[in-house]
Amino acid sequence: MDIRDLSGARVLVLGAGVSGPGAVRILHALGAEPVVADSRPDAVDLLREALRDGVSCTGISLDRAAELLGGTDAGGVDLVVTSPGWRPNSPLLRAAAEAGLEVWGDVELAWRADAAEMFGPRRTWLAVTGTNGKTTTTSMLEAICGEAGMAVRACGNIGLPVTEVLLAEPRVDVLAAELSSFQLHWAPSCRPDVGVVLNIAEDHLDWHGSMEAYAAAKARVLTGRVAVAGADDEIASRLLAQAPAPTRIGVRLGAPGPGELGVTDGVLTARIGDRDRDDDEVTLLPAVDVRPPGPAGIIDALAAAAVAMSVGARPEHVAAALRGFTVAAHRAELVDTVDGVRYVDDSKATNPHAARTSLLAGGTMVWLAGGLLKGADVDPLVAEVSTVLRGVVLIGRDRGRIAEALSRHAPGVPVVELASGDDVGAAAPDEPQQTMDRAVAEAARMATGGDTVLLAPAAASMDMFTDYGHRGRSFALAVGRVAGR
C-alpha cells in the first residue's frame, strides 16, 4: 500500500503499548482511521490519555480484531500496523496475511512517511543494531552528532518511537535510531543512510525461529549508503562483507586497516579517508577516556564514531562528545562497595553474550543470574567463565537451565537456587524484591574481600520484573540492605 493512499483508510493497530501512541498520531496526521486492538482492558484508555488534543482512535478487543481480519465485518481493514513484539506466527498476523493485508511495524510506517516527504524534507537515518551495545552506541552517536551541530534525536528502541520524531517540534533532521531485531523484521523497506551491526550472538531465537533469521533481520540496517560492523565479531563481519552498501567500514579492537576504525597504541584511530594511502590514520581520543571502560565500550565508541563521521562529524567532535559521555544506568554500574566486596549492576545483560563482558572484566565473581533465556544456549558462557566464579546465585524461571550448565562445566562452584512465586505466575506484588533480597544476601555470604557480586542475569527480566531497570533497582535496594541502610 502506498503511504500516500492512507487518507480515509482503516488501519488496525495491534498493541497499545510503547509504539501505539506514535503510530496512532502519525496515522491520524496522514488522514487514516486508526483502530487499536489490545488484550488489556485499560490499554486503549491509557493510550488515549497519551495522545495530544484532537487525536483520537477507536479501541476494540482482540476478538473483534479477529472478526475484522476474518472478513466477517463489512468495514474491513486496509492495513495492519503491529507492535514490534508481536510474532509473525501469532493468530491475528496469520489472519492478516491470509487476507492479503500488508503488515507494517511502526518503523516501517515512519520510514515510508519520511521517504515520501509527508512531513517535510526527508531526514537522515542512522540505524544501530546488534545483540549488545545498541543503547550505549546510539547514545554516543547522538552525542557526537549533537557536538557536530546536527539537529539529532536518539529514538527507536532507546525511548522515543521513530514515529514521534517525525512529528517533533522543533524539527529533527537526523535520527539516531536504535533498532531491535523485532523492529527490523517488521520494517522490510527501511534503508538507513548509515547502519551498524555491532555484534551477533544467540538472542530472541524463540521469536525468530533460527539464528539465520535473527541475523538476517539485523542485516537490514546494512542496505543503505554506508554499512558499519564489528570486524572482530564473526557473524557481524560476514554480514558486512555481504552488505550491498557501496561503502563498508569495519571497527575493531586492534590497529585499523584501510577503511576501518580501531585502536593504535592505546588511541582510537580512523582510516576511512583515502584508502590507497598508508599515512591516512586520524587519531580520535585515548582509549582510557572512553566510558564505559573495556573492550565493549571501546567498540561502541568506534562504531558511533564511524557512523557519525560518515555524515560529516569531524575527529574533534568525536573526541569532545566521548570525553563527556556518561553511560546509562544498569550497564556494569558500580552500586556500592561493602566490606571490600564490589556490587555491580549489569541488569542490561539480558543474554549470555552481554553477561560475558562483565564476567570477564577482571577478578573473582559471585554471579547473580537467571530469568528468561529466550532460547539462548548458556553452556558456552558457563564453560568460558567457570574459572572466575566464586559462587553463583540463581533466580528466575530458567534458572534450572543455568544450574544444569554449571553442573556440567563448573561442578566445584557453589550454586544456590532461589524459587519464586513467579515460577507459576502467582507472585505477590512484593515477591520479586523479597527474592532479590535473599539472592543478594546469599551472594554476600559467598563473597570475600576483593570479590565482585555481579548482577549479570544473561536472561530477560519479565518473568519477575517489569523490565531490566526494575530488576537493577531491586538489586540496588537489596545491596543497601546488606550495607545496613
Side-chain angles (χ1 to χ4, degrees):
M1 185 173 191
D2 193 306
I3 193 79
R4 300 173 184 84
D5 297 332
L6 279 182
S7 181
R10 195 178 198 192
V11 180
L12 177 61
V13 179
L14 294 179
V18 174
S19 65
V24 169
R25 287 190 190 106
I26 200 168
L27 287 167
H28 184 272
L30 292 168
E33 177 194 348
V35 179
V36 182
D38 199 287
S39 61
R40 299 161 295 167
D42 62 340
V44 177
D45 290 336
L46 292 173
L47 182 149
R48 289 195 183 103
E49 291 177 8
L51 296 174
R52 299 188 184 95
D53 292 342
V55 179
S56 62
C57 64
T58 302
I60 61 174
S61 67
L62 296 186
D63 289 341
R64 179 63 175 140
E67 292 175 4
L68 290 175
L69 294 174
T72 59
D73 183 270
V77 172
D78 299 299
L79 175 71
V80 175
V81 174
T82 182
S83 167
W86 282 58
R87 301 188 188 197
N89 62 356
S90 63
L92 285 177
L93 294 181
R94 286 203 308 267
E98 291 168 0
L101 292 169
E102 290 185 62
V103 179
W104 300 351
D106 66 317
V107 173
E108 178 77 2
L109 175 64
W111 169 261
R112 291 190 182 221
D114 192 47
E117 300 191 335
M118 304 296 286
F119 301 102
R122 183 186 177 281
R123 280 82 174 165
T124 297
W125 285 60
L126 311 178
V128 178
T129 196
T131 302
N132 299 302
K134 295 185 295 295
T135 299
T136 299
T137 302
T138 304
S139 300
M140 288 175 167
L141 175 60
E142 180 187 39
I144 298 169
C145 290
E147 185 70 27
M150 303 178 201
V152 61
R153 185 67 180 268
C155 56
N157 205 43
I158 197 172
L160 190 71
V162 177
T163 46
E164 303 269 15
V165 178
L166 298 191
L167 302 174
E169 293 293 343
R171 176 186 159 92
V172 174
D173 294 318
V174 179
L175 280 63
E178 176 188 328
L179 299 181
S180 70
S181 59
F182 302 162
Q183 290 170 312
L184 288 165
H185 174 90
W186 293 118
S189 69
C190 183
R191 301 288 183 270
D193 297 274
V194 187
V196 56
V197 176
L198 297 164
N199 45 61
I200 299 288
E202 285 190 348
D203 200 16
H204 301 302
L205 301 191
D206 53 345
W207 196 97
H208 289 279
S210 69
M211 190 67 172
E212 291 73 20
Y214 173 63
K218 296 288 192 184
R220 286 182 171 174
V221 304
L222 304 179
T223 55
R225 177 176 60 84
V226 180
V228 180
D232 296 328
D233 185 277
E234 180 182 354
I235 300 177
S237 179
R238 185 171 70 246
L239 294 178
L240 181 64
Q242 298 169 348
T247 300
R248 291 175 286 185
I249 301 171
V251 296
R252 63 174 69 250
L253 292 173
E260 293 185 338
L261 279 77
V263 182
T264 303
D265 297 329
V267 178
L268 272 63
T269 53
R271 293 186 63 188
I272 54 176
D274 187 342
R275 298 185 184 216
D276 295 326
R277 291 174 51 193
D278 293 328
D279 60 345
D280 63 343
E281 192 166 272
V282 176
T283 61
L284 302 176
L285 78 164
V288 295
D289 290 346
V290 174
R291 297 289 180 273
I298 290 171
I299 286 293
D300 294 346
L302 289 167
V307 175
M309 292 173 72
S310 296
V311 291
R314 297 193 300 272
E316 58 266 31
H317 300 141
V318 174
L322 293 181
R323 282 196 176 99
F325 181 78
T326 302
V327 69
H330 314 300
R331 292 163 175 81
E333 180 182 16
L334 178 63
V335 174
D336 204 349
T337 300
V338 183
D339 297 329
V341 176
R342 300 171 73 249
Y343 291 81
V344 174
D345 168 15
D346 197 18
S347 183
K348 188 63 170 65
T350 58
N351 55 66
H353 185 266
R356 175 185 180 275
T357 299
S358 287
L359 284 164
L360 297 177
T364 306
M365 304 284 172
V366 178
W367 183 23
L368 204 168
L372 297 173
L373 286 172
K374 303 171 289 182
D377 181 7
V378 76
D379 277 74
L381 170 66
V382 172
E384 184 176 7
V385 305
S386 61
T387 58
V388 307
L389 299 177
R390 174 84 64 193
V392 181
V393 182
L394 298 174
I395 63 175
R397 194 166 299 176
D398 289 340
R399 65 183 182 279
R401 288 180 52 196
I402 303 176
E404 291 169 1
L406 286 160
S407 69
R408 287 189 288 270
H409 304 292
V413 174
V415 177
V416 174
E417 290 188 63
L418 298 178
S420 163
D422 291 277
D423 293 341
V424 293
D430 60 347
E431 177 139 4
Q433 186 61 56
Q434 292 175 354
T435 302
M436 184 63 79
D437 287 347
R438 291 164 57 207
V440 173
E442 290 285 352
R445 279 191 283 273
M446 291 181 178
T448 61
D451 288 348
T452 297
V453 171
L454 173 68
L455 173 68
S461 58
M462 284 79 75
D463 55 335
M464 293 177 62
F465 302 94
T466 304
D467 51 29
Y468 73 83
H470 178 203
R471 181 168 60 188
R473 292 189 296 273
S474 176
F475 176 75
L477 284 172
V479 171
R481 288 174 179 136
V482 166
R485 292 194 299 274

